[in-house]
Amino acid sequence: MSTDSKISKLFSTIDDLKPSFIDRLSKAVSIKSVSGDETLRPEVFKMATFLKDELIKLDATDVQLKDLGIQPPPVSISNLPLPPIVLAKFGNDPQKKTLLIYGHADVQPAQIEDGWNSDPFTLVVDEENDKLIGRGSTDDKGPVMGWLNVIEAHKKLGIALPVNLICCFEGMEESGSLGLDQLIKDEAKGYFKNTNDVCISDNYWLGTKKPVLTYGLRGCNYYQIIVKGPGADLHSGIFGGCIAEPMTDLIQIMSTLVDNKGNILIPGIKEMVAPVTETEEKLYEEIEFDVDELNAASGSKTSLFSSKKDILMHRWRYPSLSLHGIEGAFSGSGAKTVIPSKVIGKFSIRTVPNIDSNKLTKLVIEFVNRKFKELNSLNECKCELIHDGDYWVSDPFNKSFRAASKATKKVWGVEPDFTREGGSIPITLTFENELKSNVLLLPMGKGDDGAHSINEKLNISNYIQGTKTLCAYLHYYGESE
Amino acid sequence: MSTDSKISKLFSTIDDLKPSFIDRLSKAVSIKSVSGDETLRPEVFKMATFLKDELIKLDATDVQLKDLGIQPPPVSISNLPLPPIVLAKFGNDPQKKTLLIYGHADVQPAQIEDGWNSDPFTLVVDEENDKLIGRGSTDDKGPVMGWLNVIEAHKKLGIALPVNLICCFEGMEESGSLGLDQLIKDEAKGYFKNTNDVCISDNYWLGTKKPVLTYGLRGCNYYQIIVKGPGADLHSGIFGGCIAEPMTDLIQIMSTLVDNKGNILIPGIKEMVAPVTETEEKLYEEIEFDVDELNAASGSKTSLFSSKKDILMHRWRYPSLSLHGIEGAFSGSGAKTVIPSKVIGKFSIRTVPNIDSNKLTKLVIEFVNRKFKELNSLNECKCELIHDGDYWVSDPFNKSFRAASKATKKVWGVEPDFTREGGSIPITLTFENELKSNVLLLPMGKGDDGAHSINEKLNISNYIQGTKTLCAYLHYYGESE
């Protein structure tokens, strides 16, 4: 049977299996696998078991839950076990290429009180609006289920997978992929031996109309500033005006990190950014995107730039600093007249070539310490890195990218745009370095999916066509020279 | 029977009833009557019913739960009913003076996660350390139970109360006493007719050693700054650097309100503060207090001043501004890479003579609007008053204060210090103005009780001796000319 006729049968089977594929995603979304919430750690474990069971049902071999030990500090719950990494293999034919597929089954925090229109952990199937709504639908449970769907379609038709597959699904991606780096190093010559290429489906189209393949990512360094003073929270009537309030110090320091035009005010960072080349500048012109798509995705007219090039450059190739929030301060609705005794400001910096993570952390901590010293405060202050993950840039014309490009054309009828991304998948670089292989980023969802946000969705059509794209990619990649 | 022998019998009975008095407070603390948490509103209603039942058991007449209608905006839950005010009378003898006693049965928010050593809503009776620990123990369920205890002791001995008592217990004090102002106005010539004086037990000793009577309070104006931009929370990788982030604007604005030495930076406020007179300056010298007591109470060495006079002046007669927190931003532990779409900064200003509340609000809103305009932001910003309550200063030598001074001497063996307070009891002024009567503040707890803080406590001795003080005060006040 020719590759094209195999693909044709597989596509038809994928269409037939749509209800059961949606059911699979629905089960995955119902597990509250929030890796950043330590109290929900048992749910992340439950998610690993769910994946293991699914993989075994699909005839995977050598399925393992790799124990990663105890989560290193800072943690609130002591002796907190890291969730295991799920490993599985399909096929072991020396005549075939070996592809490692990576995804994550943990999600960002979500509560209906955040503004969701429905319970975040109950998948809403909205056929009318072509949407699957729920936490993790697009990031990254949808794509992970997509891989399982592809394997199921092959199994149903009795068609052999065109490559040897190694699955690597983790549960800490939203919290710095703790433990995964070490596992990849440890298994480079073990479980992951013979890996030719790596495919990750964990990002999104740039906009909402045109599929993309992604060859670059920003990194992410996440920091916290801890300011503490009084032994306990205090009444602002009794103590206000008499004592040094930690919130005042923290707000002063946080106000010096970034201006509201997006300029990072910490000296020395800008100087590390790679200069823009002429070739690079031209790249932006060909990509389908405009400010209206950014505004549609953000649900506002808050774009800092009006030109496509400026927006894409600031998303892809310049660093950014976001202030995320404050732990320990009053955060409820209404009014509470408290002076918080210990407050922890959270911010992250998205990194790009050629920012060195260690040097960045040194600059950040020195800057915060200097600003705190200038305040001449009676409180104590400490700035620390919570986690970091490097940026990544690849060659978009290698055989894996060419196969993915052909698959995209086959399913969507258009050539994909070649893009970079503002977000981070810190592990991409580790895969390349440790497995001496190339990584392809093959996204399933659209730019307006709302990953990390309320009402996160994956279009039903993207889930099904995306599954087909992964399927065709395997075959084109498998037969490539 | 002479007043002194009545008081003597009553004191002895109060000692005998100690276990049942502690049990009464324990029941009150177990009700989670947090007025600032809209979801707990049914508990505030439950607390009103508890008080009503207790009052009826003590033979109160004309017990009423006064409906105050729906809570005005800003609220999160629409059609949220205000908790009722509990009214009750004891005696109606035209030969006796009529004293109105006021207290509140709502409390500040509390969760064990805030750092409590025990469940905040289960009263811990720690005889060894002389402590009753629980939310509301000192603020203000302890003192309210104290009044009930006094009435019970009289009932048990068959001794008539020396005054006609009108009880007025509310459930919104920690949230701006919404509805109480209007009720007092409405009932000034109704339920509250013939009130000669008002006694409020809802503050604390200055330190931990010497009882005080309080003749002045700061007011409190509570504000929020709402900054909104994107339609929903966004992924900081995808949108960081490209859009105007509301948190950046809010932190910038909040950083301009106050410096970390406690100086309010909003122009025009300092100018409204009454100048210090020579007489006033001397007053501070006689009061028993020092910086060590402030540090002990705050559990730190974060006092902005080293002299007693500076501390007391900044607590009592100068305004202060505290930054309480941010609603809508990430507030959990760990790391969440979110750009919050709508953030609400909370701060309050403690007011003093002669700051006009309306003028202050105008200055604050104008200042915030100007600062936001200077940012030239793409987001939207609104500053609004959540609630205000005026400052209050009284004559510490009127007959009510003299009776309380004598009662304090009787119970504690020392003359009380005459103090002002940094905190606010906004309704004090309304009682004076509407009922044309004087208010006395007669505190029960100590300066280190931790009202509004974690591990809030009332010393067992203060609960019992405080009950005796309220009791003796009634008799000395009743017989005063």
Side-chain angles (χ1 to χ4, degrees):
Chain A
M1 197 161 24
S2 73
T3 298
D4 271 347
S5 79
K6 278 185 203 165
I7 289 176
S8 194
K9 278 180 195 293
L10 285 160
F11 281 14
S12 164
T13 300
I14 288 168
D15 284 329
D16 293 345
L17 290 172
K18 178 177 153 185
S20 94
F21 290 169
I22 290 176
D23 184 55
R24 173 176 279 139
L25 180 57
S26 179
K27 283 179 187 144
V29 165
S30 74
I31 301 170
K32 298 177 181 173
S33 50
V34 178
S35 57
D37 182 340
E38 297 178 9
T39 64
L40 288 175
R41 189 57 51 89
E43 292 282 305
V44 193
F45 274 79
K46 192 175 160 191
M47 192 63 210
T49 305
F50 171 82
L51 284 176
K52 182 187 163 191
D53 294 345
E54 290 287 297
L55 288 160
I56 288 172
K57 270 188 256 172
L58 294 169
D59 305 330
T61 57
D62 200 5
V63 181
Q64 298 187 21
L65 296 188
K66 277 280 179 186
D67 178 29
L68 301 178
I70 297 301
Q71 184 165 335
V75 285
S76 301
I77 299 174
S78 57
N79 285 314
L80 188 73
L82 286 167
I85 289 173
V86 183
L87 300 179
K89 287 184 179 174
F90 292 89
N92 192 20
D93 181 346
Q95 302 304 312
K96 293 179 181 172
K97 293 193 195 70
T98 297
L99 181 76
L100 188 151
I101 56 176
Y102 160 90
H104 67 90
D106 62 314
V107 295
Q108 282 281 316
Q111 294 187 304
I112 192 147
E113 294 78 24
D114 298 340
W116 285 71
N117 294 328
S118 56
D119 172 27
F121 297 102
T122 302
L123 189 75
V124 173
V125 183
D126 179 354
E127 291 276 0
E128 196 180 342
N129 295 300
D130 186 35
K131 284 180 181 175
L132 300 163
I133 303 156
R135 175 55 90 223
S137 55
T138 195
D139 182 16
D140 181 38
K141 290 178 175 176
V144 169
M145 298 308 119
W147 288 115
L148 301 183
N149 298 342
V150 169
I151 298 162
E152 187 179 344
H154 281 81
K155 185 183 169 184
K156 188 159 186 203
L157 288 168
I159 295 176
L161 287 168
V163 296
N164 303 314
L165 272 187
I166 299 175
C167 302
C168 175
F169 299 138
E170 71 154 324
M172 284 296 282
E173 196 273 343
E174 301 294 0
S175 302
S177 290
L178 299 174
L180 181 56
D181 265 314
Q182 191 58 47
L183 178 102
I184 295 170
K185 282 172 199 163
D186 293 347
E187 299 296 341
K189 292 179 177 169
Y191 203 98
F192 300 155
K193 200 178 154 191
N194 299 326
T195 297
N196 298 108
D197 281 274
V198 176
C199 180
I200 298 178
S201 185
D202 183 25
N203 64 314
Y204 322 98
W205 296 359
L206 182 57
T208 57
K209 300 182 200 95
K210 204 171 167 196
V212 309
L213 300 177
T214 305
Y215 68 97
L217 294 166
R218 293 197 291 187
C220 182
N221 281 23
Y222 204 111
Y223 299 96
Q224 62 185 12
I225 304 170
I226 305 165
V227 182
K228 61 179 178 179
D233 288 358
L234 300 173
H235 187 301
S236 65
I238 303 177
F239 293 93
C242 301
I243 66 144
E245 304 189 15
M247 263 297 269
T248 313
D249 289 337
L250 180 63
I251 295 284
Q252 291 294 339
I253 296 170
M254 287 177 85
S255 75
T256 65
L257 301 172
V258 62
D259 72 20
N260 81 328
K261 300 296 171 277
N263 298 301
I264 299 175
L265 305 176
I266 303 166
I269 296 179
K270 234 180 301 184
E271 290 74 0
M272 289 194 281
V273 175
V276 183
T277 63
E278 224 172 291
T279 325
E280 190 195 331
E281 279 214 75
K282 280 188 191 138
L283 266 179
Y284 300 106
E285 287 160 23
E286 288 159 26
I287 291 168
E288 185 165 312
F289 190 71
D290 64 34
V291 65
D292 292 340
E293 287 206 70
L294 181 72
N295 284 337
S298 81
S300 61
K301 294 192 172 174
T302 56
S303 176
L304 292 170
F305 309 98
S306 54
S307 83
K308 175 170 76 178
K309 195 178 83 178
D310 281 336
I311 293 169
L312 295 180
M313 288 177 88
H314 281 86
R315 174 183 284 192
W316 295 350
R317 62 110 53 236
Y318 288 122
S320 64
L321 190 157
S322 293
L323 305 170
H324 301 297
I326 298 173
E327 179 184 350
F330 176 51
S331 62
S333 64
K336 186 179 175 187
T337 53
V338 67
I339 298 174
S341 62
K342 180 184 174 184
V343 285
I344 307 176
K346 313 281 179 92
F347 67 99
S348 67
I349 297 175
R350 298 285 164 173
T351 59
V352 296
N354 300 311
I355 292 178
D356 176 80
S357 172
N358 292 331
K359 193 174 167 199
L360 176 65
T361 296
K362 197 162 167 278
L363 288 171
V364 167
I365 292 176
E366 277 174 5
F367 181 79
V368 169
N369 287 345
R370 191 168 75 243
K371 286 291 162 187
F372 182 71
K373 204 173 169 194
E374 284 171 15
L375 290 176
N376 197 19
S377 171
L378 296 161
N379 295 310
E380 291 165 38
C381 174
K382 189 185 175 190
C383 176
E384 62 191 17
L385 177 78
I386 300 185
H387 63 68
D388 62 346
D390 254 325
Y391 59 84
W392 164 78
V393 182
S394 179
D395 164 24
F397 303 107
N398 65 37
K399 74 174 75 153
S400 184
F401 271 90
R402 286 200 309 272
S405 183
K406 193 172 169 187
T408 303
K409 182 83 193 287
K410 173 88 181 169
V411 175
W412 297 98
V414 289
E415 301 281 350
D417 276 336
F418 288 86
T419 62
R420 286 161 69 171
E421 255 299 354
S424 314
I425 309 173
I427 216 61
T428 309
L429 210 66
T430 312
F431 278 122
E432 287 209 343
N433 293 341
E434 298 296 328
L435 307 187
K436 316 288 179 220
S437 61
N438 292 313
V439 174
L440 159 72
L441 297 192
L442 178 46
M444 177 177 272
K446 289 183 176 175
D448 66 348
D449 279 357
H452 294 210
S453 176
I454 57 167
N455 303 316
E456 177 183 345
K457 62 89 180 167
L458 173 66
N459 289 84
I460 301 174
S461 53
N462 279 59
Y463 184 49
I464 300 304
Q465 301 295 80
T467 294
K468 290 179 189 170
T469 307
L470 298 178
C471 179
Y473 161 69
L474 287 191
H475 285 268
Y476 294 137
Y477 170 69
E479 69 178 13
S480 66
E481 293 306 312
Chain B
M1 195 159 31
S2 73
T3 297
D4 271 347
S5 80
K6 277 185 202 164
I7 288 176
S8 193
K9 278 180 195 293
L10 285 161
F11 280 14
S12 164
T13 298
I14 288 168
D15 284 329
D16 293 344
L17 289 173
K18 178 177 153 186
S20 95
F21 290 170
I22 290 176
D23 184 54
R24 173 176 279 137
L25 180 56
S26 179
K27 282 179 188 146
V29 165
S30 75
I31 301 170
K32 298 177 181 173
S33 50
V34 179
S35 58
D37 183 339
E38 297 178 9
T39 65
L40 288 174
R41 189 56 51 88
E43 292 281 306
V44 193
F45 274 79
K46 193 174 160 191
M47 192 64 210
T49 305
F50 170 81
L51 284 177
K52 182 186 163 192
D53 293 345
E54 290 286 298
L55 288 160
I56 289 171
K57 272 189 254 172
L58 294 170
D59 304 331
T61 57
D62 201 5
V63 181
Q64 297 187 21
L65 296 188
K66 278 280 180 187
D67 178 29
L68 300 180
I70 297 301
Q71 184 166 334
V75 284
S76 302
I77 299 173
S78 57
N79 284 315
L80 186 73
L82 286 167
I85 289 173
V86 183
L87 300 179
K89 287 184 179 173
F90 291 89
N92 192 21
D93 181 346
Q95 303 302 311
K96 293 179 180 172
K97 293 193 195 68
T98 297
L99 181 76
L100 188 149
I101 56 176
Y102 159 90
H104 67 90
D106 62 315
V107 295
Q108 282 280 316
Q111 294 188 303
I112 192 147
E113 294 78 25
D114 298 341
W116 285 72
N117 294 328
S118 55
D119 172 27
F121 297 102
T122 303
L123 190 75
V124 173
V125 182
D126 180 354
E127 290 277 359
E128 195 180 344
N129 295 299
D130 186 36
K131 283 180 182 175
L132 300 164
I133 303 157
R135 175 55 90 222
S137 56
T138 195
D139 182 16
D140 181 40
K141 289 178 175 176
V144 169
M145 296 308 117
W147 288 116
L148 302 183
N149 298 344
V150 169
I151 297 162
E152 187 180 344
H154 281 81
K155 185 183 170 185
K156 188 159 186 202
L157 288 169
I159 295 176
L161 286 168
V163 295
N164 302 315
L165 273 186
I166 299 175
C167 302
C168 174
F169 300 138
E170 71 153 324
M172 283 298 282
E173 196 274 343
E174 301 293 1
S175 302
S177 291
L178 299 175
L180 181 57
D181 266 314
Q182 192 57 47
L183 179 103
I184 295 169
K185 282 173 199 164
D186 293 346
E187 298 296 341
K189 292 181 177 166
Y191 204 97
F192 299 155
K193 200 178 155 191
N194 298 328
T195 297
N196 297 106
D197 281 275
V198 176
C199 179
I200 299 178
S201 184
D202 184 24
N203 64 314
Y204 322 98
W205 296 0
L206 182 56
T208 57
K209 298 183 200 93
K210 204 170 166 196
V212 308
L213 300 178
T214 305
Y215 69 96
L217 293 166
R218 292 198 292 187
C220 182
N221 281 24
Y222 203 111
Y223 299 96
Q224 62 185 12
I225 303 170
I226 306 165
V227 182
K228 61 179 177 179
D233 288 358
L234 300 174
H235 188 300
S236 65
I238 303 177
F239 294 93
C242 300
I243 66 143
E245 304 189 14
M247 263 296 270
T248 313
D249 290 337
L250 180 63
I251 294 284
Q252 291 294 340
I253 296 170
M254 287 177 84
S255 75
T256 65
L257 301 172
V258 62
D259 72 20
N260 81 327
K261 301 295 170 279
N263 298 302
I264 299 175
L265 305 176
I266 303 166
I269 297 179
K270 235 180 299 185
E271 291 74 2
M272 289 194 280
V273 176
V276 183
T277 63
E278 225 174 292
T279 326
E280 190 195 331
E281 279 214 78
K282 279 188 192 138
L283 265 179
Y284 299 106
E285 288 159 22
E286 289 160 25
I287 291 169
E288 185 166 311
F289 190 72
D290 63 34
V291 65
D292 292 339
E293 286 206 72
L294 181 72
N295 284 338
S298 80
S300 61
K301 292 192 173 174
T302 56
S303 176
L304 291 170
F305 308 98
S306 53
S307 83
K308 173 171 77 177
K309 195 177 86 178
D310 280 337
I311 294 169
L312 295 179
M313 287 176 87
H314 281 86
R315 174 183 284 193
W316 294 350
R317 62 109 54 236
Y318 287 123
S320 64
L321 190 156
S322 294
L323 305 171
H324 301 296
I326 298 173
E327 179 184 350
F330 176 51
S331 62
S333 64
K336 187 180 176 187
T337 52
V338 68
I339 297 174
S341 62
K342 179 182 174 185
V343 284
I344 308 176
K346 313 282 178 93
F347 67 98
S348 67
I349 297 175
R350 298 284 165 172
T351 59
V352 296
N354 300 311
I355 291 178
D356 177 78
S357 172
N358 291 333
K359 193 172 166 198
L360 175 65
T361 296
K362 198 163 168 278
L363 288 171
V364 167
I365 292 175
E366 276 174 5
F367 181 79
V368 169
N369 287 346
R370 191 167 75 242
K371 286 291 163 187
F372 182 72
K373 203 173 171 195
E374 284 169 16
L375 291 176
N376 196 21
S377 171
L378 295 161
N379 295 310
E380 291 165 38
C381 174
K382 189 184 175 188
C383 176
E384 62 190 18
L385 178 77
I386 300 184
H387 62 69
D388 62 347
D390 254 325
Y391 60 83
W392 164 79
V393 181
S394 179
D395 164 24
F397 304 108
N398 66 36
K399 75 174 74 154
S400 184
F401 271 89
R402 287 200 309 271
S405 184
K406 194 172 168 187
T408 303
K409 182 85 193 287
K410 173 89 182 167
V411 175
W412 297 95
V414 289
E415 299 281 350
D417 276 338
F418 287 86
T419 63
R420 287 161 70 171
E421 254 299 354
S424 313
I425 309 172
I427 215 59
T428 308
L429 210 66
T430 311
F431 278 122
E432 285 209 344
N433 294 341
E434 297 298 327
L435 307 188
K436 316 287 178 219
S437 60
N438 292 313
V439 174
L440 159 73
L441 297 192
L442 177 47
M444 177 176 273
K446 289 183 175 174
D448 66 348
D449 280 357
H452 293 211
S453 177
I454 57 168
N455 303 316
E456 176 183 345
K457 61 90 180 166
L458 174 65
N459 289 86
I460 301 175
S461 52
N462 278 61
Y463 185 47
I464 299 305
Q465 300 296 79
T467 294
K468 289 179 190 169
T469 307
L470 298 178
C471 179
Y473 161 69
L474 287 192
H475 285 267
Y476 295 137
Y477 171 70
E479 68 178 13
S480 66
E481 294 306 311

